[in-house]
Amino acid sequence: MHPSDFSHDDDDEEEQLDAPVKPKIIKVSEEEEVVYHPVKLSRNDLYRPPTAEELNHLKEAESLFHCSLLKMQMEELLKEVALSERKKQQIDSFVKTVTKLLETVPASPEVEVSDLSWLSGAVKIPFLLVPKTTKGRFHMAPPASIDLIGSYPLGTCIKPHVKVDLLATIPADVLHPKDVLNQRYPRKRALYLAGLAQHLKSSSDIGTMRYSCLHGNRLQPVLLLTPPGKDSSSFTVCVHVCPPPGFFKPSRFHPQRNNIRTEWYTGLQASHTESSEPPTPHYNSSILGDLLPRAHLQFLSAIRSQCSAFSDGITLLKVWLHQRELDQGTGCFNGFLASMLLAYLLMTHRISNTMTAYQLLRNSLNFLASTDLTVSGISLAKDPDSTAPSLVEFHNAFPVVFVDPSGHLNMCADMTACTYKQLQHEAFVSMQFWDDPTVDGFHCLLMTPKPMIRTSDHVFQLCDLVKLQASCKKQNLLSELMDHSGNYFLTALPFILSLLQQGLGQRIRLLTHSLSPDPEWSVESEAPKYKAQPPLSFGLLLNPELVASVLEKGPPADSPKAAEFCQLWGSRSELRRFQDGAITEAVLWDGKSA
């Protein structure tokens, strides 16, 4: 179909039946309405046999999709979420502007890390300074380098929430090799980001400027920039800062090593030696994650060059994750992990380089549905060095394990087992939909939002999360609290989930929880405290056969687990004899109705 005018004589039409005519595209002004007419084809063109390429497309549609409509829907979806050339030009122009501004950051004299006098009152440091002081000296200097990282240079950045990642490297003379200890590096990182914000604040080429955190991790603050004028809401440039490549030794961040000293954190004289200090795996992985973004981009770029549908496959997987609200917040399965998952499947030959985007999506979901990373983790490292942790060591420190190409970083360090089980469940259900020709799988799986309220039978909220501070103290979770840098919400969450799982047992098929949204705040405001967290939601998918059972049967009386059962249920637990002769601990619920 093409725009054309109405002026065709009968004679012209007869001529067009004999020979193919290239249609003219009439240029019209913006006020005029464009009228589309069918393209006139000659008899030869109309009835010519299909080409080999067209036959291949038809065969592909028949063998891979339930119908050719699904193939067309997929193609349209990919066009719909792809960035237009105009949008890319706007992004490139703004990134160029920001890069030039960052290169002119003025230097400042060296001061103690705790001395913030060089920072103007208008800009605050995006970090909760608890404890108040730490050792080290700091000065401001222009970035050593500025690079694009993430989905935009990889070609997998999609609408509607367009976010472009820009990485500024902190000069080596600002840092010290011992900065891994006691939050020295994270604080210098936050100070450096505040210095960049202070410099950019004076420029009229920047629209709005806000702080946020990378996937909710308070140790990794980022600076969100939007362009001025009418384009301000169309995309966001996210400025990250990191140390120079190879500045810290990866072996310093082994999940069994300690980098937060108890004496510094509590302010009390401690009898711990370095070897007896509790490990800080989450703190270690936060810093290690800052060392590797360039290496990860190079790795994914090399994989993409081998598989033509790689970018489209990631795009479809990102849309699927977004509809299930699994791609945002603390411990999410984000687009980066989706890219790494596809790379793993290609490396292990579970998918081939010639597959279509639809096949890549199907195979990814099939892998997620059938593989439990909470039990048997996977690794992208071909030949890691001798200091890299083993999968067993990663499993001892983290509930979900997916190791990056360096062999040192667990990319799922912040993910809970419940979030991964939810991902697994959604992938399993999606595969059933794809395999049912009577269901419109495309609309159900890629076009329909599926928030927690639609996924669960019961949803409840935990409010007033500040009370979890007392829970951490009661449960004696000091070492875990140090590891999470004082975030009592993340410290208590695994224990809350464990308790719910223990108590509800076989009454539920799935336990899910909401992922805390990434906080955003003005550069002129202090970092929000942990109590500003929104209420935590839990979702229960019930097992209809056992959900209304009045009897909770425990282990035999002589079993070592009987004591755990009694401790869980307290005075409700009692010793009972059953008709089969078994004597076990049990709880009888005396409810009269559902």
Side-chain angles (χ1 to χ4, degrees):
M1 307 285 275
H2 67 91
S4 67
D5 61 9
F6 289 96
S7 56
H8 289 297
D9 297 333
D10 291 344
D11 297 337
D12 293 340
E13 287 181 8
E14 285 174 19
E15 283 174 18
Q16 285 166 351
L17 286 171
D18 296 329
V21 176
K22 286 186 180 177
K24 290 181 181 177
I25 296 174
I26 308 299
K27 289 183 181 177
V28 291
S29 65
E30 287 180 13
E31 290 79 15
E32 290 182 53
E33 191 179 346
V34 178
V35 182
Y36 288 89
H37 291 288
V39 175
K40 300 276 185 179
L41 295 173
S42 68
R43 281 196 182 92
N44 290 341
D45 278 353
L46 203 57
Y47 295 108
R48 68 177 170 76
T51 63
E53 190 181 352
E54 287 169 339
L55 282 170
N56 280 338
H57 282 305
L58 289 168
K59 194 173 180 183
E60 183 187 275
E62 187 182 348
S63 59
L64 299 183
F65 304 89
H66 297 318
C67 61
S68 57
L69 176 63
L70 179 58
K71 185 175 188 293
M72 289 189 283
Q73 286 172 321
M74 289 281 187
E75 288 169 354
E76 279 304 309
L77 174 63
L78 288 169
K79 285 180 198 169
E80 190 68 30
V81 297
L83 302 184
S84 64
E85 285 304 315
R86 181 173 167 273
K87 178 72 70 193
K88 287 178 183 176
Q89 287 169 6
Q90 288 175 341
I91 290 170
D92 292 341
S93 171
F94 186 59
V95 165
K96 202 173 177 181
T97 302
V98 173
T99 303
K100 280 182 178 176
L101 286 168
L102 292 177
E103 285 169 347
T104 58
V105 170
S108 73
E110 193 172 74
V111 293
E112 288 293 320
V113 167
S114 51
D115 180 4
L116 306 180
S117 58
W118 62 274
L119 204 59
S120 72
V123 172
K124 304 294 184 190
I125 175 172
F127 201 85
L128 288 172
L129 300 171
V130 181
K132 198 77 180 162
T133 58
T134 190
K135 288 180 184 175
R137 296 183 69 76
F138 176 83
H139 70 275
M140 203 62 207
S145 64
I146 300 163
D147 306 287
L148 277 169
I149 56 165
S151 59
Y152 185 69
L154 202 61
T156 57
C157 188
I158 59 171
K159 295 186 285 190
H161 306 295
V162 181
K163 193 176 270 189
V164 180
D165 298 295
L166 196 62
L167 184 70
T169 304
I170 304 172
D173 60 346
V174 175
L175 302 172
H176 188 277
K178 285 193 174 180
D179 282 346
V180 295
L181 291 172
N182 299 342
Q183 295 183 5
R184 289 175 203 171
Y185 164 72
R187 293 186 185 206
K188 284 187 179 182
R189 183 191 192 284
L191 283 168
Y192 195 79
L193 197 67
L196 298 183
Q198 180 173 263
H199 178 64
L200 294 174
K201 202 171 188 309
S202 59
S203 173
S204 59
D205 293 327
I206 306 293
T208 61
M209 196 160 51
R210 294 174 69 76
Y211 288 132
S212 184
C213 295
L214 185 62
H215 309 309
N217 188 339
R218 293 300 191 91
L219 293 179
Q220 294 177 299
V222 291
L223 185 62
L224 304 180
L225 310 174
T226 59
K230 60 182 181 180
D231 297 326
S232 60
S233 60
S234 62
F235 64 89
T236 305
V237 168
C238 182
V239 180
H240 307 246
V241 294
C242 75
F247 188 83
F248 299 122
K249 288 181 182 175
S251 57
R252 287 296 306 257
F253 307 105
H254 192 288
Q256 290 179 349
R257 287 196 69 160
N258 170 280
N259 283 309
I260 299 271
R261 304 291 187 251
T262 308
E263 187 175 328
W264 171 80
Y265 188 80
T266 59
L268 303 170
Q269 195 71 34
S271 56
H272 289 287
T273 59
E274 188 178 338
S275 57
S276 67
E277 288 274 7
T280 51
H282 290 91
Y283 173 82
N284 296 352
S285 69
S286 292
I287 300 179
L288 187 55
D290 273 0
L291 289 169
L292 298 166
R294 283 190 192 83
H296 289 159
L297 180 62
Q298 287 169 0
F299 170 77
L300 288 171
S301 299
I303 294 284
R304 185 189 63 168
S305 64
Q306 298 166 18
C307 178
S308 57
F310 185 72
S311 297
D312 288 346
I314 292 169
T315 297
L316 292 177
L317 193 51
K318 283 169 88 167
V319 171
W320 181 84
L321 288 163
H322 184 71
Q323 296 291 29
R324 280 147 191 78
E325 298 183 349
L326 288 167
D327 64 333
Q328 294 288 322
T330 309
C332 63
F333 197 90
N334 50 53
F336 167 66
L337 284 172
S339 309
M340 285 298 195
L341 177 68
L342 270 185
Y344 174 79
L345 296 178
L346 278 163
M347 278 178 62
T348 53
H349 307 294
R350 284 178 167 87
I351 53 180
S352 78
N353 295 337
T354 55
M355 283 184 174
T356 63
Y358 169 67
Q359 287 175 304
L360 296 181
L361 174 65
R362 268 194 69 117
N363 280 278
S364 302
L365 295 180
N366 187 45
F367 177 80
L368 287 170
S370 58
T371 310
D372 191 352
L373 298 187
T374 63
V375 177
S376 51
I378 55 175
S379 175
L380 281 163
K382 279 185 175 176
D383 36 32
D385 61 55
S386 57
T387 61
S390 65
L391 281 177
V392 174
E393 287 172 322
F394 276 122
H395 273 294
N396 290 338
F398 305 105
V400 186
V401 176
F402 183 10
V403 182
D404 84 316
S406 75
H408 287 271
L409 175 70
N410 176 22
M411 298 179 289
C412 292
D414 294 330
M415 191 181 290
T416 63
C418 285
T419 300
Y420 186 76
K421 294 287 185 188
Q422 182 186 359
L423 182 71
Q424 223 182 347
H425 170 76
E426 291 293 349
F428 178 75
V429 171
S430 297
M431 286 307 295
Q432 290 180 317
F433 269 71
W434 281 134
D435 294 333
D436 187 349
T438 62
V439 175
D440 183 357
F442 175 79
H443 270 274
C444 291
L445 303 181
L446 294 173
M447 300 299 286
T448 310
K450 199 181 176 194
M452 183 184 282
I453 201 82
R454 298 178 86 166
T455 312
S456 313
D457 294 314
H458 283 328
V459 174
F460 63 94
Q461 284 191 324
L462 198 62
C463 304
D464 209 7
L465 297 178
V466 71
K467 290 180 179 175
L468 291 177
Q469 260 182 310
S471 303
C472 291
K473 198 171 182 181
K474 187 180 173 184
Q475 297 290 334
N476 197 22
L477 303 179
L478 175 64
S479 55
E480 288 85 352
L481 196 62
M482 279 166 40
D483 186 23
H484 286 100
S485 303
N487 190 333
Y488 49 82
F489 161 71
L490 289 182
T491 303
L493 182 60
F495 294 88
I496 296 169
L497 295 171
S498 172
L499 183 66
L500 287 169
Q501 203 85 56
Q502 234 182 321
L504 295 166
Q506 294 184 327
R507 294 174 190 271
I508 58 168
R509 285 180 178 168
L510 186 69
L511 168 66
T512 63
H513 63 90
S514 59
L515 304 176
S516 311
D518 300 343
E520 277 189 30
W521 67 99
S522 165
V523 293
E524 297 173 8
S525 307
E526 299 284 351
K529 291 188 165 54
Y530 295 123
K531 66 181 179 184
Q533 188 101 3
L536 177 64
S537 300
F538 294 92
L540 307 178
L541 191 63
L542 304 178
N543 180 353
E545 293 158 16
L546 297 171
V547 67
S549 171
V550 293
L551 185 74
E552 195 78 44
K553 196 173 177 182
D558 56 352
S559 163
K561 291 187 177 178
E564 287 178 33
F565 187 86
C566 292
Q567 189 181 358
L568 177 67
W569 295 112
S571 59
R572 282 192 172 274
S573 176
E574 51 191 15
L575 208 58
R576 283 181 171 261
R577 186 189 183 104
F578 293 88
Q579 287 180 347
D580 60 358
I583 301 172
T584 71
E585 292 289 341
V587 176
L588 184 68
W589 301 99
D590 52 1
K592 299 288 187 293
S593 68

